[in-house]
Amino acid sequence: MIRTKVRDASDKQPAISRYRSRHVLSDAALKRLFLWPTLALLISINIFPLFYSLYLSFTTYSAIANQPPVWVGLQNYRDILNDSQLWIYFRNTGRFVLLTVSLQTIIGFGLALLLREKFRASGVITTLILIPMMLSPVVVGLFWKLIFDPSYGIFNYLLGYPAGRGPEWLASKELALWAVVIVDVWMWSPFVMLLCLAGLSAIPDYLYEAAEIDRASSLYQFWRITLPQVAPLLLIAVLFRTIEAFKTFDLVMGLTGGGPGDATELVAVNLYRLAFLGQWNTGKASALAYIVLVIIIAVSNIYIKYLNRIKEG
Amino acid sequence: MADVGLQHISKRFGQNLALDDVSFEIKDGEFFVLLGPTGAGKTTTLRIIAGLERQDQGVVTIDDEPADHLPPAERDVAFVFQQYSLYPTMTVYDNLAFPLRSPLRRIPEAEIKQRVEETAEKLRISHLLQRKTAHLSGGEMQRVSIGRAIVRHPRIFLMDEPLSNLDAKLREALRIELSHLQKTQGSTTLFVTHDQTEALTMADRIAVLDQGRIVQIGSPYDIYDRPATTFVAQMVGSPKINLLPAARENGNLHITDSPITLPADASVELPAALVVGVRPEDVVIEDSGQFSGQVMLIEPLGMETVIYLKSGGQTLVSTTPGITRLRIGNEARFSIARQRIHYFGSDGVRI
C-alpha cells in the first residue's frame, strides 16, 4: 500500500522520487514484525502450558520428581470428584463468591451513586477510595491480620468491644470466612464503583430532565433510567469480580492460610497446596485447575449471554 | 391548553447575564417562536418555563397563576429536546407510555394503550411501536419524542430546536407535519430555533432574542417587513439583507463608497449618518435600471438566482426569479425599490 502511494506521487512530482530509493517497510512486513513476537510469547507462555497441563491432568506426575508422567486416564478427575473434602472447599468458594460479589456490587454501586454528584473534594475522595484496589493482596492480607487482632486490632475497637473481649475474627470457624469477605469487599468495592461511575457519567442529564417533566418519581427514574443504563457496565464489573473471587488465593494466604480448620480453604488455596506445598502432586493439581476453569467459563458464559441480551436492548 | 406569561425574567450564570428582563405572553393555542443565534438565551428561557432552571428575577405564570414554586412535574408542560431524549432501553411503545405510567397519574393500562396508539397513528409511527429506540433513524426518533409530548395533553409544548439534528429534507417534512399537528390540535407551543425559515414558516408570532434581551416581538410579517433593528433585519431573510452605510446631504442619500444615490424619504426624519437596508428581492435587475454594477458571483437556486453586484466599494446581493442570462464579469443595470427601503440609525435601531 505505502509503496504504491509513494510511486503514484512520484509520477506526478519528480521532487519526491528520491524517497523511492530509501528502503520502506511494506505494510505486510510491518504486520509480521508486530505479530510474530506477540504470537511467540502467547504460544510459549499461554497456549503451550494450557495444553501441556491438560495432558498432565491425565497423568500421575510430580514436578520435582525426576520421573516422566504416567498416563492414568480419568483417575485424577475421579479422585477429585469423589473427594468429600474437596466438596467442602467448593462449598466455601461458592459461599465466598456469592457473599463477596453481592456485597461489592451493592457497596460499589452505592458509592458510585454518592460520588456521581460533584461536590467539593469529590475528586480527591474518589481517588482515596480507589487506593485499596491498588495495593498488593498479600500486603492487604497481612495488615488486616493486624486490624483483626483480638487484643490490639482496631476492628473490634471500632465495633465497640473492650480490648481483648471481642470476637476472634480469624480464629473462629464461623467468622473467618466473613473476615476474608470483609477484606475482599474493602479491597474490591472501589473497582465496582469505578466501572459504575463510568456508566453513570455516560447517562445524559436530559434523560432525567425529560423524566422529571414526565412526572416520573425518583425511584421510578432509578429503576427505569439509571439501572438499565448502568447495567452493562455493572454486569462487566460483576463478571470480573466473580472470576477473580473464584481464583482468590493471595488474600486468604495472607490472612488465614486456609484455617482455622477448613473454614477459609478455598479451591484456589487448596490447588496451591496440592501443586506446591509439600504434596507437589502436579497431575492431580492440573486436573483440579481444569475443573475450576470449566466452572469459571460456564459462569462467565451465563453472564456474557445476559450482557449481550442487555446490550442488544 | 393555557396561556403562559413571562414577566421581567433575568438569569445569571456566574458572571454571564443569560437573560436580561425578558417579558412576553403566549396566548392559548398560539405557535410562538423564540428566534435567536446560539447563546442568545433561548434554551434558558425554555428551561425556566419548564422549571428545569430557576430565574433570578421575574415571574413565570401559567394560566395567569404564578408557577415559580412548582417543580417541573407539576407545571404540566411537555418538553421536546434537541437530542430526542428517548429512553434507550425501552421500546417505542414504552417510551410513549412513559409519561402516562407515572405513579402520580394512575391511568389504567387500557387507556394508556389507547392513547399511545392514537398518538402513534397521528405521527405515523404505528409500525415502530415494538421497536427499541436505539434502532430508529433520526427522523423516527424525533417523531417518537414529539409523540411522547403530545400523548399526555400538556398545557404547553416546549420545543428546543427539535428539528436541528435532522437533515434538510427531513427537517422540511417534519416542519410541515408539526405545523399541521399544532393547527389541528390547537396546542399552545413555544418553539425555539436559530433557523429563520422555521421561524417564519411556522410561527403565529416570533420573539427575536439577542444576548439575553428581546429585540422584537411580532408576526412573521412584522419581523420581516418592519425589523426593529439591523440585528433582526439580518437574522431573518435569506439571502441576508443588504446593509449599506449612507450619508444624508441636500435631500439625497449617498451610499458610502459607491456611486449610488437615492432621494431621501421626506416622510421620515433621517439623521446625517445612517444605515440603509435593502432586501435582495428589492434590488431589481432590469435593463432600465438606474444604477449599474459588475456581476461578481452567480448562485442559481432553480426557482431564483442570487446575484452579487459590485458597485464602487459596496457589494449588493440581489435575487431574481428563474435563471439569469448574466455572466460573471458582466455589467448589469439594476434599480432599488424605494418604497421598501429600511432606514436604521447608526446605533442599529429602525427609524
Side-chain angles (χ1 to χ4, degrees):
Chain A
M1 282 295 282
I2 289 176
R3 266 188 190 152
T4 39
K5 261 186 202 152
V6 170
R7 201 178 301 137
D8 284 349
S10 65
D11 288 341
K12 286 171 206 142
Q13 290 168 282
I16 297 177
S17 64
R18 61 194 158 95
Y19 285 104
R20 219 162 103 194
S21 57
R22 194 190 285 175
H23 180 68
V24 182
L25 268 181
S26 73
D27 275 10
L30 208 61
K31 257 186 240 164
R32 278 194 292 275
L33 198 69
F34 279 111
L35 209 56
W36 284 116
T38 319
L39 268 182
L41 272 175
L42 260 179
I43 289 169
S44 62
I45 65 176
N46 272 356
I47 295 171
F48 167 72
L50 192 72
F51 287 106
Y52 187 55
S53 62
L54 180 63
Y55 160 71
L56 288 182
S57 75
F58 295 108
T59 64
T60 298
Y61 175 65
S62 174
I64 49 169
N66 198 9
Q67 274 158 4
V70 181
W71 184 265
V72 292
L74 287 171
Q75 191 57 46
N76 285 330
Y77 290 92
R78 221 173 285 138
D79 286 349
I80 289 168
L81 296 177
N82 284 324
D83 187 344
S84 59
Q85 204 56 33
L86 259 169
W87 283 106
I88 295 175
Y89 306 150
F90 271 113
R91 214 180 55 210
N92 284 346
T93 310
R95 271 183 68 196
F96 173 76
V97 171
L98 205 70
L99 285 172
T100 189
V101 172
S102 47
L103 281 174
Q104 280 167 26
T105 307
I106 294 166
I107 293 173
F109 193 33
L111 281 175
L113 282 176
L114 288 177
L115 284 170
R116 159 206 221 182
E117 305 297 333
K118 289 278 161 270
F119 51 88
R120 189 185 282 267
S122 62
V124 178
I125 290 173
T126 311
T127 314
L128 285 178
I129 290 178
L130 291 180
I131 286 181
M133 207 174 88
M134 305 171 192
L135 300 173
S136 148
V138 177
V139 174
V140 169
L142 286 175
F143 78 66
W144 269 88
K145 216 169 172 174
L146 299 177
I147 292 175
F148 276 133
D149 192 286
S151 46
Y152 52 80
I154 200 172
F155 195 74
N156 280 341
Y157 173 78
L158 289 177
L159 289 182
Y161 289 103
R165 302 258 197 86
E168 297 193 37
W169 286 91
L170 298 175
S172 146
K173 261 189 175 313
E174 288 77 38
L175 292 178
L177 189 70
W178 275 101
V180 182
V181 168
I182 288 170
V183 179
D184 199 58
V185 168
W186 174 83
M187 194 168 167
W188 290 110
S189 293
F191 174 77
V192 180
M193 180 196 82
L194 200 63
L195 282 189
C196 287
L197 262 181
L200 285 173
S201 61
I203 306 177
D205 282 339
Y206 58 75
L207 277 187
Y208 290 103
E209 291 179 342
E212 210 172 318
I213 287 172
D214 286 344
R215 293 196 177 183
S217 64
S218 27
L219 194 69
Y220 197 68
Q221 288 182 25
F222 178 80
W223 280 111
R224 303 304 297 266
I225 299 174
T226 311
L227 211 54
Q229 292 275 295
V230 180
L233 273 174
L234 184 64
L235 215 59
I236 286 174
V238 169
L239 171 67
F240 277 22
R241 285 319 308 150
T242 307
I243 293 173
E244 289 286 308
F246 251 106
K247 303 190 298 184
T248 303
F249 155 73
D250 29 21
L251 204 60
V252 176
M253 274 326 227
L255 274 170
T256 61
D262 290 335
T264 58
E265 184 84 356
L266 305 182
V267 173
V269 178
N270 191 252
L271 181 58
Y272 174 74
R273 222 180 285 286
L274 210 57
F276 302 108
L277 279 185
Q279 304 191 26
W280 290 96
N281 194 339
T282 313
K284 196 173 169 188
S286 299
L288 183 55
Y290 260 88
I291 291 174
V292 173
L293 181 70
V294 168
I295 293 174
I296 290 179
I297 288 175
V299 172
S300 308
N301 259 319
I302 296 172
Y303 279 127
I304 289 168
K305 279 236 171 70
Y306 194 65
L307 188 70
N308 284 337
R309 221 169 62 206
I310 291 182
K311 272 195 177 160
E312 275 166 22
Chain B
M1 287 300 143
D3 299 345
V4 171
L6 266 70
Q7 283 139 34
H8 308 294
I9 299 284
S10 293
K11 172 78 184 169
R12 272 179 186 285
F13 291 109
Q15 284 300 306
N16 193 358
L17 187 62
L19 290 179
D20 186 6
D21 195 20
V22 169
S23 303
F24 59 83
E25 189 105 15
I26 306 167
K27 298 192 200 84
D28 188 44
E30 190 175 31
F31 200 118
F32 194 92
V33 170
L34 265 183
L35 177 66
T38 312
K42 307 177 303 270
T43 301
T44 310
T45 312
L46 216 57
R47 292 170 60 87
I48 285 174
I49 297 175
L52 294 171
E53 211 85 62
R54 177 54 71 108
Q55 71 273 26
D56 298 331
Q57 272 158 25
V59 184
V60 177
T61 59
I62 301 177
D63 274 338
D64 296 326
E65 282 177 29
D68 302 317
H69 59 287
L70 297 175
E74 282 165 42
R75 297 195 181 193
D76 199 10
V77 300
F79 206 117
V80 178
F81 293 81
Q82 186 179 354
Q83 314 88 334
Y84 318 135
S85 77
L86 299 178
Y87 308 115
T89 47
M90 302 182 201
T91 60
V92 171
Y93 181 94
D94 288 332
N95 261 281
L96 291 176
F98 190 92
L100 302 176
R101 281 187 181 147
S102 155
L104 300 170
R105 282 177 205 273
R106 304 219 181 99
I107 300 173
E109 198 64 30
E111 194 192 327
I112 292 180
K113 188 167 187 299
Q114 189 210 331
R115 274 166 77 171
V116 167
E117 279 167 1
E118 240 175 61
T119 307
E121 192 96 1
K122 249 178 239 162
L123 289 164
R124 295 186 283 120
I125 46 174
S126 301
H127 59 293
L128 301 174
L129 281 177
Q130 294 317 316
R131 279 235 221 130
K132 294 273 172 154
T133 53
H135 305 300
L136 300 181
S137 70
E140 290 168 339
M141 281 203 221
Q142 198 53 291
R143 261 172 231 259
V144 175
S145 78
I146 291 167
R148 211 179 51 195
I150 65 176
V151 74
R152 62 190 179 83
H153 313 310
R155 299 206 277 187
I156 181 171
F157 291 106
L158 305 171
M159 303 199 175
D160 188 6
E161 311 215 10
L163 307 180
S164 60
N165 281 5
L166 306 174
D167 64 68
K169 276 256 158 53
L170 209 54
R171 200 181 310 157
E172 202 177 302
L174 213 51
R175 195 175 75 207
I176 293 163
E177 254 175 74
L178 211 55
S179 266
H180 177 71
L181 205 67
Q182 193 269 338
K183 291 285 171 290
T184 51
Q185 302 230 311
S187 47
T188 315
T189 305
L190 175 54
F191 188 99
V192 157
T193 183
H194 64 262
D195 183 320
Q196 53 102 19
T197 318
E198 276 174 26
L200 291 176
T201 51
M202 300 169 94
D204 294 322
R205 280 197 304 151
I206 299 173
V208 182
L209 261 181
D210 180 30
Q211 296 177 8
R213 286 173 165 277
I214 294 221
V215 192
Q216 188 175 5
I217 301 181
S219 71
Y221 307 103
D222 291 339
I223 302 281
Y224 190 78
D225 279 341
R226 299 187 50 79
T229 64
T230 48
F231 173 80
V232 178
Q234 284 179 299
M235 191 78 208
V236 294
S238 170
K240 262 192 201 165
I241 193 169
N242 296 294
L243 289 178
L244 309 162
R248 181 175 56 82
E249 220 173 89
N250 305 330
N252 282 322
L253 294 175
H254 300 284
I255 306 291
T256 313
D257 276 351
S258 159
I260 300 174
T261 304
L262 300 158
D265 192 339
S267 62
V268 283
E269 207 162 305
L270 298 172
L274 71 163
V275 176
V276 171
V278 187
R279 294 271 178 212
E281 64 269 28
D282 299 330
V283 178
V284 185
I285 296 197
E286 50 191 3
D287 292 338
S288 58
Q290 187 188 349
F291 314 110
S292 88
Q294 195 187 8
V295 177
M296 303 300 292
L297 190 66
I298 298 173
E299 291 178 328
L301 300 175
M303 195 179 73
E304 58 178 15
T305 304
V306 183
I307 299 167
Y308 294 78
L309 296 164
K310 197 172 173 75
S311 166
Q314 300 286 354
T315 302
L316 280 87
V317 184
S318 159
T319 54
T320 187
I323 310 290
T324 178
R325 287 172 288 106
L326 291 170
R327 293 284 167 268
I328 292 176
N330 286 5
E331 278 301 311
R333 300 215 55 90
F334 64 94
S335 55
I336 291 174
R338 231 160 271 159
Q339 64 285 2
R340 294 180 48 83
I341 293 177
H342 307 272
Y343 301 105
F344 301 97
S346 42
D347 55 352
V349 178
R350 184 183 188 83
I351 300 167

